Amino acid sequence: MTRQRGFTLMEVLIAMALLSLLMLALGSTLYSAAQTEERVDARVQSAEDLRLAARFLQEALSQASLRPVRQGNERLRPFFSGQEQAVEWVGVMPARYGLGGRHFMRLALERDVNGQGRLVLRYAPWSDEPGGIDWARAPWQALAQPVTGLSIRYRHPLSGEWVGDWAAAAGRRARIPSAVALDIRGPQPPWPLLIVPMRAPVVSDTDARSEGFGP
């Protein structure tokens, strides 16, 4: 009678240990590959957001209108307000966004319901007498997220100084800055400093003067 030999308990344990090590190594490799893919996707998305935001701002913010409007009981003056974390202006919405034409716009750092910051553009239809615009109810688009910080600076067309409060720098003279610099923090990889030269469209704004725009 032929005697059949099987695996001993020790051999089975050794085989299971080797198989476990192999599965662990394979799992770590797959996890690392997935993380790498996520990082690459995040960088590609951030780069695309930067490209779209920069292109939009170059088109919309750089052509801020100098056409005067009446705001409440104030005298006619260009609709432009610049603070350190928000800027409001009248610009032409690119037609490819489906909302072409002149709009009131506001760019600011806002937070969602989870407290995550994002760079938000809000817009409202143009009117010769806008009154008080309810920005909280205005349509919006997120240009970048997550955003942990936003700093906006304005270059004075005469002195060349960069300031954070345009109302104080402009004084009583109705003018717009020669350039706007946006430091947007949070996206990965980090965004460079965006500097948008202001060039009011002379064709539609007969009050546009060379001292009010240009780098």
Side-chain angles (χ1 to χ4, degrees), residues 57-58 60-66 79-80 87-90 153-155 157 162 166 175-182 195-201 209-215:
L57 292 174
Q58 290 289 346
L61 179 55
S62 66
Q63 302 260 344
S65 175
L66 284 175
F79 185 90
F80 188 91
V87 56
E88 300 175 6
W89 76 99
V90 173
R153 310 286 287 178
Y154 309 89
R155 187 179 183 185
W162 289 94
W166 180 246
R175 58 163 59 97
I176 61 175
S178 61
V180 177
L182 299 101
I195 299 181
V196 181
M198 305 292 286
R199 299 186 180 91
R209 291 182 286 271
S210 60
E211 68 174 16
F213 50 90

Side-chain angles (χ1 to χ4, degrees), residues 2-209:
T2 304
R3 184 176 179 182
Q4 295 183 351
R5 179 181 171 154
F7 294 103
T8 64
L9 178 59
M10 183 61 67
E11 291 173 335
V12 172
L13 292 176
I14 293 174
M16 292 181 63
L18 293 176
L19 183 60
S20 298
L21 290 175
L22 180 61
M23 294 297 295
L24 180 61
L26 181 60
S28 299
T29 301
L30 293 176
Y31 180 72
S32 298
Q35 282 191 319
T36 301
E37 184 178 1
E38 289 180 0
R39 287 194 295 267
V40 170
D41 289 343
R43 286 179 175 271
V44 171
Q45 184 62 49
S46 180
E48 182 68 8
D49 290 343
L50 171 59
R51 185 185 68 82
L52 293 176
R55 182 176 178 182
F56 173 81
L57 292 174
Q58 290 289 346
E59 292 183 13
L61 179 55
S62 66
Q63 302 260 344
S65 175
L66 284 175
R67 180 179 296 179
V69 297
R70 188 179 303 280
Q71 303 178 58
N73 296 326
E74 297 182 9
R75 62 186 176 87
L76 289 171
R77 61 180 302 159
F79 185 90
F80 188 91
S81 174
Q83 294 88 39
E84 190 171 358
Q85 291 193 332
V87 56
E88 300 175 6
W89 76 99
V90 173
V92 177
M93 185 77 76
R96 66 177 177 274
Y97 292 95
L99 299 166
R102 194 181 297 267
H103 282 74
F104 296 102
M105 301 185 190
R106 183 177 191 270
L107 185 71
L109 172 63
E110 299 184 9
R111 299 194 178 278
D112 58 20
V113 294
N114 298 319
Q116 186 180 67
R118 56 191 178 187
L119 184 65
V120 173
L121 172 77
R122 292 185 180 269
Y123 47 91
W126 160 261
S127 170
D128 288 328
E129 296 187 13
I133 301 176
D134 187 0
W135 289 114
R137 295 179 177 272
W140 60 275
Q141 290 287 338
L143 300 184
Q145 59 183 355
V147 174
T148 58
L150 172 65
S151 178
I152 308 177
R153 310 286 287 178
Y154 309 89
R155 187 179 183 185
H156 200 284
L158 301 181
S159 67
E161 285 187 67
W162 289 94
V163 298
D165 185 352
W166 180 246
R172 294 184 177 180
R173 182 74 178 274
R175 58 163 59 97
I176 61 175
S178 61
V180 177
L182 299 101
D183 183 12
I184 304 167
R185 300 179 295 278
Q188 294 297 324
W191 283 19
L193 181 68
L194 295 180
I195 299 181
V196 181
M198 305 292 286
R199 299 186 180 91
V202 180
V203 173
S204 61
D205 294 316
T206 56
D207 291 335
R209 291 182 286 271

